[in-house]
Amino acid sequence: QAAMAVTSSLEGRRPVFNFLPSPASSASALAKQPEPQKAAGANESSAAEAAAAAAAAAEAAKRTERARLEEQQRVEKVKTEELARLEKHSEPLRLYLMKFVVPALTGALVDVCREQPEDPVGYLAEYLAIYSEVSRERSL
């Protein structure tokens, strides 16, 4: 009695979701159970419904798989197109780096390895500054 009073009081304030059927709904489910004579006919129709549901589920699975494969193909196509576009747009930058940056930096790094200074970063900065001045004078 006390438990029912507490339950009704709590449910009256706000809904309680405990994922268990309430005593009233379990009693109504017992009352709605079919009689044995009706159950035989229901079994035949439920078997047909189950077969139809299984066929529908198989068809839905096929559609889902087909959609997944189409999406995967679309993603692969987009990746390929993006890679081609990236290669095309990065070509001028690559050419600039190969023409101006790589020769200067390679010589500077070789010199740093040969000299092995105390401050390699400072040595590299000084080397590149001098290289810049010398290459500027050559171009004039």
Side-chain angles (χ1 to χ4, degrees), residues 36-50:
Q37 294 88 13
K38 293 180 183 176
N43 286 341
E44 292 174 5
S45 65
S46 65
E49 289 174 3

Side-chain angles (χ1 to χ4, degrees), residues 4-87:
M4 292 300 278
V6 170
T7 302
S8 64
S9 172
L10 287 175
E11 287 179 350
R13 291 185 187 151
R14 66 174 186 260
V16 176
F17 301 103
N18 62 0
F19 303 106
L20 295 175
S22 66
S25 67
S26 60
S28 67
L30 286 175
K32 289 182 180 179
Q33 285 185 347
E35 296 177 13
Q37 294 88 13
K38 293 180 183 176
N43 286 341
E44 292 174 5
S45 65
S46 65
E49 289 174 3
E59 183 64 30
K62 285 180 184 178
R63 281 193 307 266
T64 304
E65 182 65 22
R66 193 175 319 123
R68 188 187 65 77
L69 288 174
E70 288 173 357
E71 178 68 17
Q72 189 177 16
Q73 289 172 349
R74 189 185 66 79
V75 166
E76 288 300 320
K77 182 180 176 184
V78 168
K79 282 182 183 179
T80 305
E81 290 173 357
E82 279 187 12
L83 184 61
R85 192 175 303 126
L86 181 64
E87 288 290 326

Side-chain angles (χ1 to χ4, degrees), residues 91-135:
E91 187 65 28
L93 178 62
R94 189 177 304 115
L95 290 174
Y96 174 82
L97 290 172
M98 293 303 290
K99 185 174 181 181
F100 296 108
V101 177
V102 171
L105 198 55
T106 302
L109 290 174
V110 167
D111 206 30
V112 166
C113 290
R114 202 175 313 143
E115 297 290 326
Q116 295 184 352
E118 281 291 316
D119 182 20
V121 175
Y123 185 87
L124 185 64
E126 188 176 325
Y127 182 96
L128 291 174
I130 292 171
Y131 184 90
S132 172
E133 290 175 13
V134 169
S135 65

